[in-house]
Amino acid sequence: MTRSEEIRKHVLEQYITPAREKGLDWVTVRAGDVHRYFHWTGRMPSVCQALGSHKFERQAGVALVEKSGPPSGQSPTVKFTYRLLSGQGSDQDDAAVPSRAAEPSSRKNPPTLMDLFGIGKDAFRRAGGGEAFLKKERADWGPSPWERLEAEQEIARKKGRSH
């Protein structure tokens, strides 16, 4: 069994299956916990690659919705958040795995950043688009600091002439 196969098998048995049994819709796996379980040294890239692979998504019947951590993406602090799909996994075809930004139908875990994607689109549409919304908001703020400065200087000049 390859290292990647060991990683996928462990995460499926220790994280995905128990989450399904509890009726959860989401599960988060921390790469450092998996690495520590195997008592490995310097194998973090293997762990992160295996957890972020489409092969794992198909095998486990999950969709990766968020990967958080440092830019390198290969650290013990990297967290992979998966949405559990209705099927039990076992190498489903690619068509069964939705896009990584798919929205959940119901949620028992805290929302992720991807859950907020597109949240303001209806509000912007009602306002005539994002640019129109921003223009209206800016107009409601009043004059810009430069316009205020010019107005104050004009008032000061007028006061100076009247005395």
Side-chain angles (χ1 to χ4, degrees), residues 119-141:
I119 197 168
K121 69 181 177 184
D122 292 330
F124 290 131
R125 188 178 307 123
R126 285 191 301 269
E131 188 65 29
F133 173 79
L134 290 174
K135 284 181 181 178
K136 181 185 177 306
E137 287 296 310
R138 288 177 182 147
D140 290 346
W141 286 345

Side-chain angles (χ1 to χ4, degrees), residues 22-153:
K22 292 177 186 174
L24 299 176
D25 294 330
W26 302 86
V27 66
T28 299
V29 179
R30 190 173 159 273
D33 295 338
V34 175
H35 193 265
R36 188 177 314 110
Y37 171 82
F38 288 106
H39 304 288
W40 287 334
T41 303
R43 301 292 185 204
M44 194 56 62
S46 296
V47 172
C48 293
Q49 187 278 328
L51 293 178
S53 71
H54 290 288
K55 185 173 186 174
F56 176 68
E57 290 181 78
R58 287 189 304 274
Q59 180 182 357
V62 298
L64 180 64
V65 293
E66 184 178 31
K67 179 181 175 183
S68 63
S72 71
Q74 298 184 355
S75 160
T77 61
V78 175
K79 292 181 182 178
F80 296 84
T81 301
Y82 303 98
R83 182 169 62 92
L84 305 179
L85 303 176
S86 58
Q88 292 293 319
S90 65
D91 289 325
Q92 301 170 357
D93 63 334
D94 285 328
V97 179
S99 74
R100 293 180 180 215
E103 294 186 28
S105 56
S106 64
R107 175 182 310 116
K108 293 182 183 175
N109 291 351
T112 63
L113 183 59
M114 287 306 295
D115 293 334
L116 302 177
F117 182 77
I119 197 168
K121 69 181 177 184
D122 292 330
F124 290 131
R125 188 178 307 123
R126 285 191 301 269
E131 188 65 29
F133 173 79
L134 290 174
K135 284 181 181 178
K136 181 185 177 306
E137 287 296 310
R138 288 177 182 147
D140 290 346
W141 286 345
S144 73
W146 294 112
E147 291 170 337
R148 272 198 312 268
L149 177 63
E150 288 175 7
E152 290 171 4
Q153 288 174 342

